[in-house]
Amino acid sequence: MNFKLEIATLLEKVTGVTQQEIINAIEIPPQKEMGDFAYPCFRLAKQFKKAPPLIAQELCEKIERPDFIEEIKIQNAYINFFINKNVYSKEVLQEVLKQDFGTNKIGQGKTIVIDYSSPNIAKPFHVGHLRSTVIGNALYHIFEALGYHCEGINHLGDWGTQFGKLIVAYQKWGSKEAIEQKGIQELMRIYVKFHEEAEKQPALEDEARSWFVKMQDGEKEALTLWKWFYDISIKEFDRVYAMLQVHFDAYTGESFYNDKMAAVVEELKQKNLLQQSEGAMIVNLEEEKMPPCLIIRKDGGTLYATRDITAAIYRKNTYHFDKCIYLTALDQNLHFSQWFHVIKKMGYDWWKDLIHVPFGLVSLDSGKLSTRHGNVVLMEELLNQAIAETSKIIEQKNPDLPNKQEVAKQVGIGAVIFNDLYNSRIKDVVFSWERMLNFDGETGPYVQYTHARACSILRKGNCSLAETIDYSKLTDDVSMEVLKLLVQFPEKIQEAADKLEPFIVTRYLVNLSQAFNKFYHDNSILTSEEGTKEARIALVIAVKTILKKGLALLGIQAPEQM
Ligand code: ARG
């Protein structure tokens, strides 16, 4: 039973307002003394030509009272509905325990393209890319739960003059063995060396550019070297993705569009959008009060924006998306709004379905995280450190835990992900091991621990869901609080999707965990009397299930023991 809907039906009969409008207006009161649902009558003043409190009064007298309604009370302009607690606990628990609870069909037939992670090859995967990866992955799961078809795309930065530089650097200062042995780290070293040398010897820059032109033209030697750098990088990235359990449907990076850009440049010409400027080709964005969008460089090279425009058109034609969302740090705002407007100027009305989803920076708590690589904190090292720190805690708290290594991995990595998703995207993320691994804080380990606690109760009692449950045993305040949170799960998923904010789910899981721990603290479960015991066990099962489902939406695992 959907209480909101039922109440809206009752109200529709006495107000004449549409059911949907009523549903949108119904609020969940902040205090339980104010009932379970509240309907504000302010908006009815015009229609009824009366003061809102008076309208509330009159409506209250007229509303039908089916069994599920315990009481209706007026507070100023609000009509407060109190649901019969027995009915409430029965309906909620039955609903929550359904296998598909938390999924939805609202997105059926619609496709969302998610462009996330997208690191630059031949450069280390650093913590900045962690955010894009983790937020994108969570949104992928969230939209999937709502029935959307998702296409996860890794738009690798695998094309551009920097690869010309790398080829020059390799030929001058590189060795095959060193690169094979040390991977990206060695590529980084020779890349940095290139920049140092090019300061003294600017001709190197020209050499690099001409190598990139060779790449663009499909010259074999250039492409073979490029492909080798590519493979080495992907091998390292894939290790990180495996640790994070992140997957992509396509690794169509910038290089994928090399042979597709000419047609788009031609289209821009046809549509009279290209202008010459200092030897380069641009799209003028003066009307939009933005600097021009550079399409072709003086030397004939294409740019990041050229590839993004081409990729968007390709994706529209390939996936027929309803939305295409891009996860990058806030500093790329201008880039995205520039080329989104180019798409608009091309006459594509779907430009409004392109959405840049920006996020804040990652900062490191003290120097603890800096590594021998200087400023760059490598993702793999960071994750390994998280696992090592977690192992230490497990050694102290639960040295006999079976499967210690695996659990340390799930908890350590889960802590990093949870920390990243704890606040609204735009806020900066601070890494503090102490805070993010605190088992009693608002952290990943805390939620995982709560889940494991629920599992442990069920394991100890060898419990399963009873066939008949006396729902009246779950009508005390603490149990009701848990039930109230449980039933909100689908709304939270929807809200997270609407706002493109996984933190809505993260916070929800913390609240549910807190409510459950209070329930656990206040009540005996396995030793309670018959009837009560079965009802409480059902509640434990429900909480365990939702915590696990919720963590999965965030891309976090839920170990049964920790
Ligand atoms: N490779 C870029 C970077 O590391 C991010 C790419 C984001 N996606 C895109 N379609 N522009 O900054």
Side-chain angles (χ1 to χ4, degrees):
M1 184 188 275
N2 181 335
F3 293 116
K4 228 189 215 180
L5 186 78
E6 297 294 330
I7 290 172
T9 312
L10 298 177
L11 281 165
E12 187 185 12
K13 287 186 200 154
V14 291
T15 59
V17 178
T18 67
Q19 199 184 55
Q20 193 53 51
E21 251 177 273
I22 298 172
I23 288 181
N24 295 341
I26 289 179
E27 297 169 17
I28 311 271
Q31 279 137 29
K32 63 175 184 310
E33 296 73 35
M34 298 157 95
D36 302 301
F37 297 94
Y39 180 67
C41 295
F42 303 105
R43 267 177 264 190
L44 301 177
K46 242 197 188 149
Q47 179 191 337
F48 285 75
K49 299 197 177 60
K50 272 183 204 150
L54 201 63
I55 303 173
Q57 191 71 52
E58 286 179 11
L59 290 177
C60 178
E61 281 153 26
K62 284 195 216 150
I63 301 171
E64 235 180 279
R65 273 145 227 254
D67 282 349
F68 77 89
I69 293 201
E70 182 74 40
E71 207 180 357
I72 302 177
K73 278 192 198 160
I74 299 303
Q75 194 175 33
N76 294 323
Y78 283 89
I79 308 179
N80 294 336
F81 295 84
F82 294 75
I83 307 290
N84 175 293
K85 288 180 178 171
N86 286 347
V87 177
Y88 188 89
S89 63
K90 170 164 179 260
E91 293 291 336
V92 167
L93 210 49
Q94 285 183 345
E95 182 64 25
V96 172
L97 287 169
K98 280 185 193 153
Q99 201 141 44
D100 62 356
F101 180 73
T103 61
N104 197 318
K105 292 194 171 63
I106 201 162
Q108 234 172 23
K110 294 196 186 133
T111 295
I112 309 251
V113 169
I114 310 179
D115 177 321
Y116 60 117
S117 196
S118 309
N120 301 323
I121 68 166
K123 293 213 181 137
F125 195 126
H126 61 81
V127 285
H129 287 118
L130 167 74
R131 298 218 64 197
S132 177
T133 310
V134 160
I135 300 169
N137 186 48
L139 290 176
Y140 189 111
H141 294 309
I142 287 168
F143 277 110
E144 227 177 17
L146 295 173
Y148 290 89
H149 171 73
C150 295
E151 289 285 345
I153 296 186
N154 197 336
H155 188 77
L156 293 163
D158 59 0
W159 206 245
T161 19
Q162 69 270 34
F163 298 99
K165 294 179 187 173
L166 208 54
I167 293 177
V168 174
Y170 170 64
Q171 290 174 334
K172 296 209 186 308
W173 313 289
S175 88
K176 193 164 192 282
E177 298 70 47
I179 291 178
E180 251 150 28
Q181 226 178 52
K182 296 192 210 140
I184 292 179
Q185 211 187 314
E186 176 66 7
L187 292 176
M188 249 324 252
R189 188 191 70 78
I190 61 171
Y191 187 71
V192 169
K193 172 108 177 137
F194 176 92
H195 284 274
E196 286 164 8
E197 296 293 324
E199 295 245 323
K200 297 177 251 168
Q201 238 183 299
L204 286 173
E205 298 276 358
D206 295 328
E207 221 177 303
R209 262 192 290 272
S210 76
W211 272 107
F212 180 54
V213 173
K214 286 184 198 167
M215 280 168 54
Q216 282 187 324
D217 294 344
E219 207 250 20
K220 195 156 171 256
E221 190 189 0
L223 280 189
T224 310
L225 282 171
W226 169 82
K227 182 68 174 39
W228 180 46
F229 301 147
Y230 180 96
D231 290 340
I232 285 186
S233 307
I234 292 288
K235 214 164 81 190
E236 287 189 34
F237 294 164
D238 277 345
R239 277 207 309 267
V240 174
Y241 293 139
M243 287 174 98
L244 290 169
Q245 302 213 334
V246 168
H247 117 110
F248 298 92
D249 299 301
Y251 277 81
T252 37
E254 297 187 38
S255 67
F256 180 75
Y257 302 99
N258 187 38
D259 62 355
K260 298 175 181 60
M261 282 182 280
V264 172
V265 172
E266 187 51 38
E267 186 182 339
L268 285 166
K269 254 188 222 147
Q270 294 296 326
K271 292 183 172 166
N272 274 327
L273 293 170
L274 275 193
Q275 284 178 12
Q276 290 264 5
S277 169
E278 295 165 36
M281 297 291 230
I282 60 156
V283 175
N284 188 315
L285 295 172
E286 251 166 52
E287 260 175 52
E288 289 76 12
K289 298 194 171 56
M290 274 183 255
C293 185
L294 202 53
I295 304 291
I296 300 199
R297 238 202 291 262
K298 208 160 51 186
D299 61 17
T302 54
L303 290 111
Y304 185 40
T306 326
R307 292 184 275 283
D308 260 332
I309 293 166
T310 309
I313 295 173
Y314 172 84
R315 290 173 190 174
K316 184 68 194 174
N317 294 335
T318 308
Y319 305 115
H320 313 286
F321 59 73
D322 289 86
K323 281 192 183 3
C324 180
I325 64 184
Y326 298 85
L327 289 125
T328 80
L330 185 62
D331 59 4
Q332 296 197 29
N333 254 1
L334 178 63
H335 163 74
F336 282 98
S337 53
Q338 281 177 305
W339 75 259
F340 286 178
H341 277 91
V342 174
I343 298 276
K344 182 184 183 193
K345 280 179 175 302
M346 291 175 91
Y348 293 122
D349 63 350
W350 50 265
W351 82 284
K352 60 178 192 325
D353 304 322
L354 302 170
I355 302 168
H356 180 220
V357 185
F359 50 77
L361 303 171
V362 182
S363 61
L364 308 171
D365 174 39
S366 72
K368 266 183 236 154
L369 277 168
S370 61
T371 65
R372 51 206 147 78
H373 308 283
N375 279 337
V376 205
V377 175
L378 304 187
M379 213 35 234
E380 200 172 359
E381 262 176 42
L382 183 124
L383 294 178
N384 280 327
Q385 194 175 346
I387 297 168
E389 299 285 337
T390 309
S391 287
K392 278 190 231 159
I393 299 174
I394 293 178
E395 255 354 292
Q396 281 164 16
K397 288 198 178 226
N398 193 359
D400 300 327
L401 179 73
N403 229 351
K404 267 193 279 199
Q405 204 38 36
E406 186 55 27
V407 175
K409 220 166 132 181
Q410 296 176 336
V411 176
I413 290 172
V416 172
I417 299 175
F418 200 94
N419 182 59
D420 197 291
L421 299 176
Y422 187 64
N423 283 311
S424 101
R425 284 182 270 110
I426 214 68
K427 278 206 173 174
D428 292 349
V429 169
V430 182
F431 266 96
S432 151
W433 291 123
E434 217 172 300
R435 213 194 47 228
M436 69 204 223
L437 292 174
N438 181 353
F439 280 43
D440 302 312
E442 302 190 352
T443 63
Y446 171 69
V447 175
Q448 285 173 319
Y449 189 69
T450 307
H451 169 267
R453 170 175 276 166
C455 291
S456 134
I457 298 166
L458 300 173
R459 201 169 41 240
K460 263 193 220 136
N462 198 9
C463 308
S464 54
L465 194 62
E467 261 175 49
T468 47
I469 290 165
D470 181 354
Y471 294 97
S472 71
K473 305 292 189 206
L474 295 175
T475 52
D476 60 288
D477 286 351
V478 185
S479 310
M480 286 294 278
E481 190 54 35
V482 176
L483 287 165
K484 255 188 197 163
L485 281 163
L486 282 172
V487 78
Q488 284 173 22
F489 186 48
E491 292 163 35
K492 295 293 173 183
I493 300 174
Q494 185 67 55
E495 191 185 341
D498 292 344
K499 297 185 172 154
L500 301 163
E501 285 283 17
F503 91 91
I504 306 277
V505 174
T506 316
R507 295 289 172 108
Y508 166 76
L509 293 177
V510 168
N511 291 341
L512 179 60
S513 298
Q514 286 169 344
F516 176 73
N517 284 319
K518 180 155 177 43
F519 165 83
Y520 174 81
H521 178 266
D522 290 2
N523 292 302
S524 57
I525 297 171
L526 297 177
T527 53
S528 55
E529 61 192 46
E530 204 128 326
T532 307
K533 179 176 155 185
E534 285 71 21
R536 286 182 182 163
I537 284 169
L539 193 66
V540 175
I541 293 175
V543 170
K544 173 196 109 147
T545 310
I546 299 310
L547 288 179
K548 185 170 176 162
K549 283 184 184 180
L551 286 169
L553 288 177
L554 303 174
I556 300 174
Q557 285 173 283
E560 304 228 322
Q561 253 178 299
M562 61 187 265

